Each structure stands twice: as C-alpha cells, then as structure tokens.
Amino acid sequence: MPGLTDTRPMTAPRPLPAEPSSTNESRHLLWIDGVGGFLLLTGQAVTIGGPTSAAADIQLLASLSRRHATIHRDDGGYLLEPHGPTRVNQRQTVEWTELTDGADITLGHTVQLGFHRPTVLSGSARLSFQSDHRPSHSLDGVVLVADTCLLGPGRDCHIRCSEWEDSVILIHRDQQWLVRSPRLALEVDGHRLRGESEIGNGQVVTGPDLRFHIEPLKTDSSQRGAMG
Amino acid sequence: MSTKKFTFAPETTPLAGYTIKRGIQRGGFGEVYYAHSDGGKEVALKLLHSHAEVELRGTELCLNLKHPNLISIHDIKRDDDGDVWIVMEYVSGATLDGVLAEEFPDGMPTTEVRNWLKGLAAGVDYLHDRGIVHRDLKPQNLHREAGQVKIGDVGLSKIITPSQRGAQTESIGTIYYMAPEISRGEYGPEIDVYSSAAIVYELLTGHVPFDGETTAEILNRHLTDQPDLQPLPPALRPVLAHALAKDPAERTANLGTLLEEFDAALAGNPVSPSPPPEVVADPPSLGNNLAQPVTAKVISAETAGAVSATPTGLTSHTRPGRPPQPTSYDANPLGPLSPRSISLSRRGLEATAAMTAAILFSGLLAGGGWWIGMFDEGTPATPLAAVAYGLTTLVASWAMLIGTKAWEGTGPESLHLRRLSLLLLGGGAGAAGWWLHRVLLIDLPPLSETQNSGLVDSVGTFELVHNSQPTLTGYVIFFALLFGVRRWWWHTDSFRPKRLRVASLLLTLTVSGLLGLVLRFPLESAIAWGVGIAVVVQLAAPWVAPEQRASRVVADNLPSPETVDAPLNQQGATDE
C-alpha cells in the first residue's frame, strides 16, 4: 500500500495499551430481523484495519494499514488513536483525539465512518459505515459496547429498530450477554422471559414483531465464515 | 402486525448449503432472508408462497438477465419440502423509501433525484428492451449500494407480448405508483414509466402525487385527477405532466426519454414531446394561447394545473393558485356507462342475488298494496289480486335484472342493443302477466273515464282492450314499451349514482301513467306496475358505493382473488 507508509511518526502521549483482545468473548454478531446485522465489540480498545489484518477487531475491505486506528474507551469517553492517515471531522490528526457524538472519521483516503453516542445513559457508542467499505460481509454497523446496547424505535437507541413497539436492552456483564425489556413480553428460545436471561450462545429472542439473536464470533477458522 | 414473523429461525439451513442469519422482509410474495452460503457468499433468499407457480414463470425468464442496475438472481431451488427458493444478490444499501423518510422527508435536491432516475431508467429500459415489464416499481424496491441504483423484485416481471396484454396477472404494484390503465387490465411498458414518474414526483416533493384515505380513493385519483404540479420545480412540471399522462399513448415513451426531458428542463432547453396531448382541446381557461410559441407540453401542464413557465421567457402570465380541477372522484365517477370487464361468475352471482332479493321486495310490495287497499277495486277483491300483482311485478323485475346484468359494463356503444333486449324482455313479462291474471281469474280495475277512448285501440287486428280488460296484446305492448322507453340500466347497474333515486321513480310514474292513457291500460295498474318494478329492481340490484368502484374494477381485472387480497386488504385494513 504505497502512500500509507510514508506517514509522519505518531506521537503517543500515553503508553500503548496491550494488543486488543480478539478473543471469543469480545466480538459478537447481532442479527435482527428486518433491521440488519451488527458487530458488537466489548473490548476497551477496538482496532480498525485492512483485509489482511488478523489483529484488527474491525477488518475492512479497504486500502488501510493492518492497524490503521484504534478507538479507546476511557472514563466514559472515546479517544481515537491514529496509526495511519486519519482525519476526524475533516481535520488531519496524528494525536489521540476525542470522539464526540456525530464525529466523522476518515481513514486513508476513502473510508468514512460515523461515530454516534445516541444516549448519555449508556457508555456505549456506535460506528456507522458511511462510505461503502465493509467487512467481507455486509454489516450495518458496529456497536462499541461498554455496558448496554439499546435496541428500539427511539433515536436514543444504539440500533434503531423503527418498527418495534418498545425498546430492548442488551446487557454485557461478566462476559455474559443478557437481555431485558421494560415493557415488551419477550421469549428466549421459546421460554417466557422474566427479568433477565442469558442469550450469548445463539439463543433466539422473540417478541411482538421482533426477533434477533447473538452469534459469538471466534478468532479461529470459523471467523472466516462470518467476518472474513 | 404479526406479519413480521418469519417461518425459519436464524442459523437454520432449510435450503441445503445456505445458513439463514436473519429475516429481511415479509411481503405478499413471500419471505426474504439474509443468508450465508457454505462458502461464505452472502445472498438474499426468497421463499415463495403458495402462488409460486405463477411467479416462477416470471422469475425463470429473468434468471440470466445481466445489468448493473438490476438485482441479479443467482438461482431457483427447491428444498426437501418442495418449497421454492430464489437465491438472489444481496444488496446492503438503504431502500429509496428509507432514504426518503430518513434524510429527505420534504424532497430531494434535483441532482440527487437525477442520480436515482438515471439508474432506474437504465435498468427499466434494459428490461423493456427485452420485452419485460417490471410492474411493481416503487421506492421499497429500489436500493442504492456503493452509489449504484439497484432495482429489486425483477423476478416478478412478466414477459409481455401484444397478445398477452391485459391477460392475467399475479400481482399489483403498490397503488401509489399504479398507472390508471391497470384498472382496465392493461400492463404495457407504459405502466413502468408512470410508476417511475410517480416516484420522481415523490422524490422531488416528499409526497406521492395521489394520496388518499382509502385504497379506493387513491385508485380513483389515478383514474381521474390531474396531478398537482405546484410543488414541483417549475421547469420540471411539464416533464412530469407528460410522464404522468392518464393515456398511455400520450405518456413519455420510455425512461430514457424521461431522463432526457428531465435534464433538458433543468438545463433550460425543454424537449418538445412528439404528439400534442389531447388536453389542448379545452383551452378556454388558457389565456396564454397567444404566447407563441408555447409548446404543447407547456399547454398540457397548464391544463393540468401548473403555472406556465416557458424557458424561453415567453410566458405570458402566471395564474395564481390552481385552476378548477376535479378534486375528488365524484367529478368523473364510474357510472352505468363506464366500460369495464365483469366476469361471468360475478354476473351470475349478482343476478342470482338480485333475483332472490326481488322475491322479497315484490312480496312486500304486494302485501303492502293489499294492506292499504290498492286491490279493492278489482274483481273479485281477493288476496289473489295482490298475488297476481306481486307475481307479475316479480317476473318483470327478474326479466329486467337479467337483461341489464347481461349488458352491464359494455359501455355506451351497446345502448341500442340494451333497448332492444329490454323491449323483448318487457313483451315477455307482459305475456306472463296476462297469463297469470287469466289463470288466477283476476280482473284489473276498470278503466277510468278518461280512458274510454285511448289514442290507440288496437294494433292491426289485435284489440288492446276487450270487455274493459287489457288483452294479451295490451299486456305485451304496455310492458314492452314500459321496458323500452326508460333507461333501466340507470336503475339496476352496480355503478348507478344512488341505490334508490326518488326522482327517477317520479319519472317512471309519469311514463307509466302516460302509457296507460295512450294504450288504454288500467291507469292504477299501469302506475302500480311501473313504480313497483322501478322500486323492486333498484332495491334488489347490487350497488357499489362510488368510492369503492375503482378498486372493484381493478379486482375484477385480476384473475386470482387470493393474490389480490393481500395488497388491497392490507391497505384496506388500515382504513377501518
């Protein structure tokens, strides 16, 4: 990739964190009927890279470095650490840059991502694909999950499911995925949901006009099938 | 709302080789899933519902079409249960209706509209060039992925050859984009031009050209209303008026031409369409005929309610507001003389229902007449007189209901045939009435004094009156003329203005009275039969409310009711 290697040396004001944990636990796919497929990332740091990067959490079919940028979650906020040419809100950046709701991230020349914090009630954020660069399969977005992921009809949800009657909360706690809904009657694998229930192993959640499930994404060979 | 439930669960493989990840949508045609093949290829899988056989024909024909603007079909497969799956290219981009709702609720900039129109035109013209009409163009079927417009549901198209025009169809487009001629069962490529123009209108303004509370109202507006061109950029008004023309022959020929006209209008050099539209024929409201050279297209836009805006600056006036235009379907309703196709089974069903109802109403009429003493003057004054009257009324009503139902929907050219057949049916009913009164030994009331000498006493050697009772000839001629003089289809047609019109009863009363006087037919009986038959047939004949007529016409042109019900009822359900 000529052009990407001749970047100025990056300054790293903080010690580089440990290599992001691309383990079974940190990456999941969320498939929602009628809405789309989403990558759920629970790591504190999320690396974005090109197609040959085994280490990247978000591996895009795009002309990017293996590790092009890393997004860190820190004290409820998000910081972008550029490794390759990166612009935030049209401004070239070589330093750690805070990401606020609505920020535009440009990686290399063509990859554009949007950063969203739809609600202050959750520490989670969403990345949207604004150029047509995707992982090897079509995903509709990435959620950087701090604690919860809100699915529902409102604009304050991380994933907007505009035809749902009410919202559903996905909770990531102790390496487990749990589901809860304040008002909707849900079923998990056909059993009536009372309170919270674990759904991290492909259990199918159904409710009035909704259905979704979470698929664990493994770093071994089976990753190829889902994420490339 | 439970339509969002999908048959197959995620991570299952109902079709060998493909793992379902999620449902994409459910519609009248089937279910669509997002799936990964064993090799990792992402595809859209469409599971077809019951009427698969019909749909398959269309899909097979489109299996090997290749065009960058058409969503391609990879294969058609059957699973172990015999269900049919269509394996299609998966397109990840947003659909046009989503883009419109999320980003441009009040309409898009013209450059953005042009991008969509360009891809749409390329794909649709490619289909038309291969003899295929898409027939279901709507924003929900248009995607854009990586800047490329992709037209979906191409498999639902059908090969249209001249002989198949107006033949059966298994689907109807969403009514907001449905060309008026579809209500006549015509499915030429022009319907795609109309749908595309309706889409372009919506992209420019943020709303569809014809909206309404009910399905029927929208259909009616496609048939009768001119589109409101006011919200459009002035330069584009004539372009869309041309492409939304009611008459397919006057419509923009194809989407490439629409794109050319669109571009030319925006560049300020509108292209003149070849044939001048007929609407020029009502020029009185056009004050600008002097403004030379106004193109025919601009005139058509004028009559369609637009403010004139010729690009050459020759515009002589701008008319504020809309000129009077039919704003509702009442202005040009479907009536007894509207040509339409009615299936034999519907005719049979409706005639049977009407004849059954006629029994009830004739009975009530005769009973009521007896109760108020209508038959007291006859001899003998027995209930049998009422029975004879009621039966004669019933037979006459039946004859009329059968006759008018047979000609219903044939349009104005059959008027002579209608009158002739009614004349003959009336004669038959008269003969039956005469025979009934002979068998039951009932005399009609005596002639009134004014009838001592009628204008006509006999026809040839046949007397009309004998012993102050009408003869067989008298009955036959009275009933034949009663049937032949009035326009009874206005009483019995499903599309008559009102179910029961009192004004027409008064006219019937007068006509039958005059016939009685002229033919020396007992006056009370003449009037009682004239009015009685008019009441019975109007009450008995089925009647469709004006706002439901258009959808009835559309429904009658579609052969398999179960496929029609889905889209129409979905709309209808929300009206309640």
Side-chain angles (χ1 to χ4, degrees):
Chain A
M1 275 167 270
L4 293 180
T5 50
D6 59 349
T7 54
R8 286 179 288 161
M10 304 285 163
T11 52
R14 301 175 204 195
L16 211 64
E19 195 67 26
S21 54
S22 295
T23 61
N24 290 3
E25 291 79 27
S26 72
R27 308 203 310 161
H28 291 79
L29 288 172
L30 169 63
W31 300 104
I32 311 174
D33 280 2
V35 178
F38 300 86
L39 179 62
L40 306 180
L41 298 175
T42 52
Q44 283 291 108
V46 165
T47 301
I48 305 166
T52 55
S53 163
D57 298 283
I58 305 173
Q59 205 179 312
L60 295 175
L61 284 183
S63 174
L64 298 179
S65 310
R66 284 166 182 266
R67 293 172 71 244
H68 200 99
T70 304
I71 296 174
H72 301 271
R73 181 168 47 244
D74 183 36
D75 290 337
Y78 286 84
L79 294 164
L80 181 131
E81 178 196 2
H83 309 303
T86 300
R87 281 178 287 166
V88 174
N89 291 331
Q90 292 18 283
R91 294 180 59 163
Q92 191 79 32
T93 177
V94 293
E95 301 186 340
W96 289 48
T97 306
E98 188 178 2
L99 296 174
T100 52
D101 182 36
D104 287 321
I105 303 167
T106 307
L107 303 176
H109 296 292
T110 51
V111 177
Q112 288 185 308
L113 301 173
F115 178 88
H116 313 273
R117 290 279 309 265
T119 171
V120 295
L121 299 176
S122 163
S124 304
R126 184 180 82 241
L127 290 175
S128 57
F129 300 111
Q130 302 198 325
S131 56
D132 56 297
H133 298 89
R134 298 281 190 285
S136 62
H137 284 94
S138 309
L139 287 178
D140 297 279
V142 179
V143 184
L144 312 176
V145 183
D147 39 20
T148 53
C149 176
L150 260 70
L151 322 176
R155 291 205 173 268
D156 59 342
C157 290
H158 297 107
I159 297 174
R160 190 117 183 267
C161 307
S162 46
E163 300 195 359
W164 289 15
E165 290 170 18
D166 203 50
S167 43
V168 171
I169 306 166
L170 302 183
I171 304 155
H172 187 250
R173 184 196 298 151
D174 303 333
Q175 304 298 314
Q176 281 193 322
W177 281 103
L178 305 165
V179 66
R180 179 155 59 96
S181 177
R183 278 175 287 275
L184 293 178
L186 299 183
E187 289 186 354
V188 176
D189 276 351
H191 301 291
R192 178 81 188 274
L193 170 71
R194 295 174 211 283
E196 294 175 358
S197 175
E198 216 223 310
I199 57 163
N201 292 312
Q203 291 92 335
V204 178
V205 181
T206 50
D209 295 334
L210 69 88
R211 190 173 75 174
F212 63 88
H213 76 291
I214 288 178
E215 175 192 359
L217 198 62
K218 297 175 183 65
T219 43
D220 59 21
S221 61
S222 68
Q223 177 191 332
R224 185 183 51 86
M227 279 293 298
Chain B
M1 279 294 285
S2 59
T3 53
K4 291 292 275 296
K5 294 281 183 247
F6 290 87
T7 309
F8 292 102
E11 307 297 337
T12 58
T13 55
L15 181 65
Y18 296 94
T19 306
I20 286 180
K21 290 296 178 183
R22 65 179 182 93
I24 298 175
Q25 64 174 70
R26 258 195 73 133
F29 301 119
E31 303 179 353
V32 186
Y33 296 91
Y34 170 81
H36 288 173
S37 79
D38 289 350
K41 172 97 177 158
E42 58 185 12
V43 292
L45 291 182
K46 186 173 214 169
L47 170 63
L48 296 182
H49 282 156
S50 50
H51 46 288
E53 291 306 323
V54 184
E55 190 167 2
L56 266 189
R57 282 208 312 272
T59 312
E60 282 163 358
L61 292 166
C62 298
L63 198 50
N64 294 310
L65 293 179
K66 290 188 191 73
H67 192 275
N69 294 111
L70 303 180
I71 292 180
S72 55
I73 304 170
H74 298 319
D75 212 347
I76 301 173
K77 286 173 173 284
R78 266 181 206 279
D79 64 15
D80 297 340
D81 299 333
D83 286 331
V84 173
W85 295 80
I86 298 177
V87 185
M88 295 184 297
E89 173 186 6
Y90 172 70
V91 176
S92 63
T95 55
L96 179 52
D97 65 320
V99 172
L100 201 57
E102 292 286 327
E103 299 175 43
F104 304 104
D106 299 318
M108 292 179 178
T110 47
T111 51
E112 187 74 1
V113 176
R114 188 189 183 277
N115 286 337
W116 284 97
L117 175 59
K118 186 162 176 273
L120 180 62
V124 171
D125 281 350
Y126 171 88
L127 282 178
H128 288 182
D129 187 42
R130 273 142 195 84
I132 293 166
V133 178
H134 186 287
R135 313 204 306 179
D136 199 20
L137 292 173
K138 54 190 175 185
Q140 293 91 321
N141 269 342
L142 302 181
H143 305 250
R144 189 148 69 173
E145 186 181 59
Q148 184 83 280
V149 174
K150 294 274 191 178
I151 304 169
D153 272 354
V154 175
L156 301 181
S157 312
K158 298 194 72 177
I159 290 271
I160 299 287
T161 57
S163 66
Q164 279 175 308
R165 265 174 199 255
Q168 64 157 319
T169 160
E170 84 287 5
S171 77
I172 62 166
T174 302
I175 48 164
Y176 294 115
Y177 311 97
M178 209 164 97
E181 67 267 27
I182 291 178
S183 60
R184 299 190 298 271
E186 296 173 18
Y187 285 90
E190 302 88 358
I191 67 171
D192 285 345
V193 175
Y194 186 93
S195 303
S196 303
I199 293 171
V200 169
Y201 183 104
E202 186 181 8
L203 296 188
L204 288 166
T205 63
H207 58 85
V208 291
F210 299 112
D211 204 350
E213 294 289 310
T214 64
T215 306
E217 186 185 343
I218 297 164
L219 290 171
N220 264 308
R221 296 195 60 198
H222 280 298
L223 285 166
T224 57
D225 278 16
Q226 293 301 325
D228 178 9
L229 302 174
Q230 288 294 333
L232 296 169
L236 291 174
R237 287 171 190 165
V239 177
L240 283 170
H242 187 202
L244 286 169
K246 304 289 180 209
D247 182 350
E250 286 177 8
R251 204 170 293 152
T252 314
N254 54 55
L255 287 187
T257 310
L258 175 58
L259 183 63
E260 276 170 30
E261 291 185 13
F262 188 93
D263 284 345
L266 288 182
N269 325 295
V271 185
S272 181
S274 25
E278 277 175 22
V279 279
V280 181
D282 75 16
S285 66
L286 300 176
N288 69 340
N289 280 352
L290 300 173
Q292 295 260 3
V294 177
T295 62
K297 188 164 56 179
V298 172
I299 292 173
S300 88
E302 280 282 345
T303 54
V307 171
S308 157
T310 49
T312 46
L314 286 166
T315 312
S316 66
H317 81 136
T318 49
R319 192 172 343 105
R322 292 185 66 187
Q325 282 293 323
T327 50
S328 81
Y329 44 80
D330 289 337
N332 186 7
L334 289 161
L337 295 180
S338 304
R340 57 196 192 272
S341 75
I342 305 171
S343 66
L344 195 63
S345 61
R346 183 188 283 286
R347 283 183 208 276
L349 203 68
E350 289 189 353
T352 313
M355 288 165 69
T356 312
I359 299 176
L360 175 74
F361 292 121
S362 305
L364 285 174
L365 199 65
W370 170 255
W371 191 67
I372 62 168
M374 202 165 83
F375 306 105
D376 289 356
E377 289 183 39
T379 38
T382 67
L384 269 184
V387 171
Y389 167 77
L391 282 176
T392 307
T393 309
L394 178 62
V395 169
S397 302
W398 277 3
M400 189 172 290
L401 288 167
I402 293 172
T404 51
K405 187 55 74 183
W407 297 115
E408 192 167 310
T410 49
E413 64 270 26
S414 69
L415 284 182
H416 294 303
L417 208 53
R418 293 184 189 209
R419 287 216 191 263
L420 186 67
S421 60
L422 279 174
L423 210 64
L424 294 173
L425 286 164
W434 173 81
W435 180 79
L436 273 165
H437 286 75
R438 280 286 298 269
V439 168
L440 297 173
L441 299 171
I442 303 297
D443 281 350
L444 296 183
L447 292 172
S448 62
E449 288 184 8
T450 50
Q451 286 178 291
N452 279 337
S453 62
L455 292 175
V456 185
D457 274 332
S458 59
V459 177
T461 54
F462 297 102
E463 282 182 302
L464 291 178
V465 178
H466 187 74
N467 289 340
S468 78
Q469 281 294 309
T471 60
L472 172 61
T473 316
Y475 269 98
V476 167
I477 290 184
F478 169 76
F479 277 93
L481 289 180
L482 181 62
F483 273 45
V485 168
R486 294 284 281 128
R487 300 179 303 165
W488 289 99
W489 46 93
W490 285 89
H491 292 68
T492 60
D493 196 284
S494 302
F495 287 3
R496 61 189 181 274
K498 289 181 188 172
R499 176 174 277 280
L500 181 67
R501 279 213 296 192
V502 176
S504 75
L505 287 182
L506 292 176
L507 186 57
T508 306
L509 185 146
T510 314
V511 167
S512 50
L514 283 172
L515 282 175
L517 285 174
V518 171
L519 299 172
R520 297 188 72 198
F521 198 90
L523 211 49
E524 293 93 328
S525 300
I527 290 170
W529 268 317
V531 175
I533 293 166
V535 169
V536 169
V537 295
Q538 288 189 71
L539 289 177
W543 184 72
V544 179
E547 62 273 13
Q548 290 159 4
R549 288 177 188 172
S551 51
R552 161 70 67 90
V553 170
V554 173
D556 280 353
N557 279 294
L558 300 170
S560 46
E562 68 278 2
T563 60
V564 182
D565 282 353
L568 281 180
N569 284 356
Q570 267 171 12
Q571 290 286 339
T574 56
D575 306 336
E576 287 160 16

